Amino acid sequence: MKPAPFGYARPGDWPEALSLLRDGARPLAGGQSLGPMLNLRLAQPATVIDLRHLPGFAGVAVQDGYCRIGAGTSHAEIEDGAIPGRLGAILAGVARRIAYRAVRNRGTIGGSLAHADPAADWVAVLPCFDGAAIALGASGERRIPLADFVLGLMETALRPDEVLRAIELPVLPPEARWGHWKFCRKPGEFSKATACVLAVPGEPPRAVLAALDMPPLVIADAGALLAAPEAEAARIVAGLALRDPWRAALVRTALHRAALAAWEMEE
């Protein structure tokens, strides 16, 4: 299929982009999600706003213990080491397993998060960090905790007149432990179950269980999961009331293996 006719706008600055957004235009980052939706006519905006050339939309800056990642930063840039330190190593490992390199060259971290597909990698991983999504609207920037950003299927906490401008994550010490496991039937496919665990010295470990056809399940204190990975994973998944036994087994395995990966790093 071909998309329905739409206009194309390339704003010169953020105020112009926000003005177009208020008029009902649809923002475009890398186009790896919006493009197929346009072709299938699942999305039929009157105008598409190309954000890729706006200042600060892509790039990485570290200041005051936080790493600010522009929403337009591509998966490939993250994979190739754009983010420094332990945090960068963790995110590069996640980015490396997103789809294929051709997709990673164009797809962006912010576009993926704002699209809010429950099986997407950044939707699953970013809530594990005690960070924030930076929304930009007419009144300026607004910080939204990443754990509260995705509200439902393809639904986020962004207001109609806001655009996702950046993601802010805490810089991690070298000792931070990380476990991540996702199941795809073949390379490049969306995950059927994703889990990750982050343990930072001096802080409660955090965990996320995602690709559940609902918002990610954020476990703010995953100490019990690291202490008894198999038993605690079974207890958590039993409370989700998943209809299919195979799905419950897959989700339980994802959480168990992510916890084991983080726990084994301590050895």
Side-chain angles (χ1 to χ4, degrees):
M1 293 182 65
K2 294 183 178 180
F6 62 87
Y8 172 83
R10 181 174 168 173
D13 54 30
W14 286 103
E16 183 183 354
L18 293 175
S19 176
L20 290 165
L21 189 66
R22 287 192 295 271
D23 290 338
R26 184 75 175 264
L28 170 74
Q32 297 306 289
S33 297
L34 181 57
M37 291 182 68
L38 290 170
N39 286 336
L40 293 171
R41 302 201 176 193
L42 297 174
Q44 299 186 34
T47 304
V48 169
I49 317 170
D50 192 342
L51 304 177
R52 292 174 297 171
H53 309 285
L54 291 177
F57 189 53
V60 176
V62 179
Q63 186 175 6
D64 299 328
Y66 280 86
C67 181
R68 181 176 171 121
I69 308 164
T73 304
S74 71
H75 311 316
E77 290 172 306
I78 296 172
E79 177 185 7
D80 292 345
I83 301 169
R86 178 69 177 130
L87 175 64
I90 289 172
L91 298 185
V94 174
R96 195 170 296 119
R97 297 187 62 202
I98 295 175
Y100 305 96
R101 181 69 186 198
V103 172
R104 297 196 292 272
N105 284 337
R106 298 283 296 183
T108 64
I109 186 171
S112 174
L113 183 62
H115 184 57
D117 187 315
D121 292 82
W122 297 124
V123 170
V125 167
L126 291 177
C128 206
F129 301 87
D130 190 17
I134 311 300
L136 178 66
S139 58
E141 291 188 349
R142 181 170 70 98
R143 295 171 57 85
I144 307 169
L146 286 167
D148 303 325
F149 184 76
V150 176
L151 304 179
L153 303 182
M154 314 294 185
E155 180 185 6
T156 73
L158 287 172
R159 295 167 183 161
D161 62 344
E162 289 180 328
V163 65
L164 181 61
R165 187 173 186 179
I167 294 104
E168 200 170 78
L169 302 177
V171 173
L172 299 178
E175 302 80 17
R177 291 181 285 142
W178 172 253
H180 175 237
W181 194 86
K182 71 172 184 176
F183 175 80
C184 301
R185 290 185 296 180
K186 62 180 182 179
E189 191 179 57
F190 276 100
S191 173
K192 298 295 184 294
T194 304
C196 51
V197 178
L198 175 67
V200 178
E203 300 178 11
R206 293 169 63 91
V208 174
L209 188 57
L212 300 173
D213 300 330
M214 65 180 190
L217 173 65
V218 180
I219 305 167
D221 187 344
L225 179 63
L226 287 181
E230 186 172 8
E232 186 64 6
R235 186 194 68 80
I236 291 170
V237 174
L240 297 177
L242 298 172
R243 291 180 299 175
D244 298 317
W246 68 266
R247 188 74 183 278
L250 195 57
V251 171
R252 185 171 62 250
T253 298
L255 190 56
H256 180 203
R257 293 193 179 184
L260 282 179
W263 183 83
E264 289 169 355
M265 287 188 65
E266 189 177 30
E267 299 301 304

